[in-house]
Amino acid sequence: MKAVAQAHTNIALIKYWGKRDEALFLPMNSSLSITLDRFYTTTGVQFCKDLSKDIFMLNGELVNEQELAKMTRFLDIIRNYAGVQEHAIINSTNKVPTAAGFASSASGYAAVAAASTKALGLELGGKELSMLARRGSGSATRSIFGGYVEWQKGEREDGSDSYAKQILGEKEWGLTILSVLLESKCKKVSSREGMKRTVETSPFYSGWLDTVEHDIYSAKEAIRNHDFDQLGKVSEANALKMHATMLGATPPFTYWQSGTLAVMERIQELREEGISAYFTIDAGPNVKVLCMPNDEERVRAALLHMSEVEDIYSCHPGPGITYLPE
Ligand SMILES: O=C(O)C[C@@](O)(CF)CCOP(=O)(O)OP(=O)(O)O
């Protein structure tokens, strides 16, 4: 029983920030992302009855005990879902340069969910696959689909209505997402720990929840109308609100470094010069810049001139899950 699947990473425009259920990875709010063409994880899964435990290879090397324990917990959920006991060999390759500041957990868990269920002979639809991937990492919920994707937060306690769906296909509206790589100076707070601390201690968190569902509405309207400036404005404001919640946490924290602020300022200057460019930032110092393809070279040139910028990866909307020959 073996299968190979590929899943692409995604960038949230309206952020997932906070869980209402840590065990089931149920979010406090809905989120919206673009799946990217350039970065993905390819995973082969083989279940074998002779194995006494799971084996997890990542980029050709056995992972450490902590990563293996996380993957085994995820596979236990899949084994329970499929009603099997067998252990598995997981072989994943990330075409997601970790240094690029992309969380490969989104593409990683989505690829494992797809390959393992396929290897077990389950032909799951996107909704079921999305709910399974969610149990590995929240943002993986969205990587099952290509293009522009909404993860509906759902209301039910069992999470049976918390899954993603595609809003617009990857070929229906071409945007550019520039991943701007800054030198990273210090160990960051993981997104999992960061959102937990924020939910539990930040007085600004209620303000986040008061406005994020309207941001989802505005972003979906902008995508339907191909209104880039409306999408850019609501995405940039949403990212700033997410990061503002952390400053009120106990202890306070921020992911921003001097280079982060410098790029933010340069993007705002470009807008004053008449170029429609907007930024978003996740749980790290790196900045992702949204622009239309015909402005890509001017935005890239302006940013590459900055001493703080180490590299820039150009991405566009990409596909959802694909199954590859074994
Ligand atoms: O991607 C977004 O919507 C926004 C973030 O990237 C903001 F930084 C959070 C991603 O969180 P994730 O790593 O999925 O957490 P997990 O569920 O605890 O594994």
Side-chain angles (χ1 to χ4, degrees):
M1 301 189 286
K2 184 177 178 185
V4 182
Q6 200 162 77
H8 288 240
T9 194
N10 67 76
I11 287 296
L13 301 183
I14 307 300
K15 305 295 185 185
Y16 151 53
W17 191 245
K19 295 182 181 73
R20 66 176 194 274
D21 183 314
E22 300 264 333
L24 295 178
F25 286 73
L26 296 180
M28 283 284 209
N29 62 267
S30 298
S31 59
L32 188 151
S33 63
I34 301 180
T35 301
L36 301 180
D37 58 348
R38 184 164 182 173
F39 301 129
Y40 52 86
T41 301
T42 306
T43 298
V45 178
Q46 183 166 9
F47 286 87
C48 314
K49 58 184 184 313
D50 319 350
L51 286 174
S52 58
K53 67 174 201 169
D54 297 317
I55 296 170
F56 180 17
M57 302 276 288
L58 178 60
N59 299 332
E61 292 182 12
L62 283 172
V63 300
N64 62 34
E65 281 308 306
Q66 186 190 2
E67 286 307 313
L68 177 61
K70 273 166 69 177
M71 185 55 72
T72 296
R73 271 197 301 277
F74 183 54
L75 287 171
D76 285 343
I77 291 166
I78 290 174
R79 282 185 276 260
N80 180 48
Y81 182 89
V84 302
Q85 311 291 329
E86 282 87 352
H87 290 284
I89 300 171
I90 309 285
N91 196 345
S92 276
T93 305
N94 278 341
K95 189 174 181 294
V96 184
T98 314
F102 283 101
S104 52
S105 60
S107 54
Y109 281 104
V112 170
S116 51
T117 50
K118 180 90 171 173
L120 291 170
L122 301 175
E123 299 287 334
L124 296 189
K127 173 179 165 184
E128 286 73 21
L129 215 39
S130 182
M131 287 193 283
L132 266 182
R134 191 197 74 221
R135 303 291 300 278
S137 176
S139 49
T141 311
R142 304 182 305 238
S143 277
I144 301 300
F145 301 97
Y148 304 77
V149 180
E150 177 188 10
W151 171 15
Q152 300 163 300
K153 68 181 176 75
E155 304 295 337
R156 296 189 205 129
E157 285 184 12
D158 64 358
S160 56
D161 58 349
S162 184
Y163 52 86
K165 62 180 182 147
Q166 185 182 73
I167 301 169
L168 197 68
E170 60 268 27
K171 297 189 182 346
E172 295 181 65
W173 189 28
L175 296 189
T176 294
I177 301 99
L178 296 177
S179 172
V180 182
L181 183 54
L182 306 163
E183 78 288 350
S184 186
K185 298 184 189 110
C186 56
K187 170 146 178 44
K188 69 174 186 173
V189 174
S190 74
S191 43
R192 191 164 299 180
E193 203 269 320
M195 65 172 79
K196 180 173 170 55
R197 187 192 307 177
T198 303
V199 169
E200 290 173 351
T201 66
S202 176
F204 304 156
Y205 191 70
S206 57
W208 163 259
L209 288 181
D210 290 344
T211 60
V212 63
E213 293 306 328
H214 186 267
D215 292 348
I216 289 275
Y217 173 81
S218 173
K220 285 167 72 173
E221 183 185 54
I223 290 168
R224 268 197 304 274
N225 301 336
H226 293 200
D227 183 333
F228 178 70
D229 283 303
Q230 179 178 335
L231 184 61
K233 285 189 181 80
V234 69
S235 301
E236 187 172 294
N238 182 265
L240 289 170
K241 284 188 286 185
M242 179 189 85
H243 285 271
T245 63
M246 307 168 202
L247 298 175
T250 304
F253 66 105
T254 182
Y255 292 108
W256 297 353
Q257 295 174 4
S258 54
T260 314
L261 290 164
V263 172
M264 289 160 71
E265 282 173 23
R266 189 69 188 95
I267 295 302
Q268 285 159 348
E269 283 168 9
L270 287 173
R271 284 210 291 273
E272 286 155 18
E273 295 163 21
I275 297 176
S276 280
Y278 300 86
F279 61 80
T280 186
I281 306 165
D282 288 306
N286 292 317
V287 182
K288 286 93 179 179
V289 178
L290 297 171
C291 66
M292 293 306 286
N294 54 14
D295 288 329
E296 181 172 334
E297 281 320 307
R298 284 193 295 176
V299 176
R300 169 189 284 275
L303 296 175
L304 278 176
H305 274 110
M306 299 178 68
S307 60
E308 300 87 345
V309 173
E310 284 202 351
D311 203 349
I312 297 181
Y313 297 85
S314 175
C315 307
H316 303 90
I321 289 285
T322 49
Y323 295 98
L324 307 178
E326 291 164 27

